[in-house]
Amino acid sequence: MNSQKLFPRHIDEKVRIALNDTRVVAIVGPRQSGKTTIARQIASNRGMSFVTLDDIQSRDFANEDPTGFIRDLDRAVIDEVQRAPQLILAIKKAVDEDTRPGRFLLTGSVELFTGAHSLDSLAGRVETVELLPLSQTEISSSEPSNFLSKAFEGDFPIEIKLYRTFDLIQRVLSGGYPEVLLRENVQRQQAWFINYSQALIERDIAEFSQITKTDMFARLLSHAAITSSQLLNLSSLSRIIGVDSKTIDRWLQLLEQMFILRRVFPWQRNDLKRLVKTPKIHFLDTGLLSALRCVDIEKIKHDRGHFGILLEDFVYSELVKLAVMSTDRVRISHYRDKNKIEVDFVLEKAWKVVGIEVKAAATVKPTDFVGLKKLREAVGNNFRCGIVLHDGDRVQRAGDQLFAVPIGFLWKSNIKQDFEAI
């Protein structure tokens, strides 16, 4: 693979549009997701100054004299702005005095306007765009998938052609960090993830928080990976790690703010009392997750069960990236009742609901639709469709508003009645 390859990023146009009518635009996402690359390109095209706070001299200036630092900038990109949080107030003052759109493009490796790094909200002055690790359509240099729109329309073509994604395991194990995808050797990919996770603990955690028990935090990250896709049990994690539940909750919030994982909360209806109210943990990159779980191709060949857990997180990460590109807000939750009947993901948009179940098998059984049928009953007329995403080779209709769909449809750029095999 060409080490100079630049992957297309679908948020590029979204950022450029925002700069045309918004004073401050922020690109946020995990380290090494490509924020600096896209910011440099935009700065070059728009004639903006580029300043990175990874540079010690610039960072010291920004922290010691934030007002003077901003006063010297007209229209600028400030990279890794979380390293000088006092700049937020100075930026607010500058854009209140000069309200031209596109004054500042910020990048940050933590959530910039929540928690400890939110010195001022910049409400009404900033638009935030997430840049997560590469989606499968970006990896293949394809147009964004229209999977979500087809799902909310409840419309999937029924064909007899084969659509199987034969390299699915490798896609899951590689994840979406650009630097990893430039490494063809699996062992070198694993080495990158090990170094990445160590840097999170030894550098980023120390920089973004007051945590001194980094060994315990490292254990939490490892155990969070082990419990990924499961219901979150703070008490159990507390006993394993050796800190109280409130600390575990705070540390998980920090991992969320750093775009490593997310808690997916349960779908709720006020009139349904028998629904479980516990969130699940999902990682945003399955390359990192597989490295933390020490899962490789050989381990999956020996025990396919390892793949099922990874695949659920893989689908989640792809759904999140599709939701980022949606013009409408898409909420993602999960469904589980007291009888342990589950649906992996519940998508909601403008009162419409789609249920998604993930299966690592190529064969879909009627029992795989039990949870989706239960969700359909609970939702009523707002239910658009239920989908079992599988590792098989064709779309099948399994009943009223129920479909079995190959997992590759998540990154099919144009799902329609007559299309080529994935």
Side-chain angles (χ1 to χ4, degrees), residues 130-181:
E130 285 186 353
L131 184 68
L132 298 174
L134 292 155
S135 68
Q136 292 302 307
T137 51
E138 289 171 326
I139 292 171
S140 60
S141 301
S142 303
E143 292 297 316
S145 169
N146 64 339
F147 174 85
L148 285 186
S149 63
K150 301 301 285 186
F152 281 106
E153 291 168 8
D155 177 26
F156 287 95
I158 308 301
E159 297 277 345
I160 61 173
K161 295 178 183 178
L162 302 182
Y163 307 110
R164 188 152 186 199
T165 307
F166 291 100
D167 60 348
L168 183 58
I169 292 177
Q170 189 56 56
R171 288 175 184 260
V172 172
L173 292 178
S174 295
Y177 283 96
E179 188 69 25
V180 172
L181 297 171

Side-chain angles (χ1 to χ4, degrees), residues 21 63 157 300-301 341 378 396:
D21 59 17
N63 280 310
I300 290 173
K301 288 179 179 178
I341 296 176
Q396 294 174 295

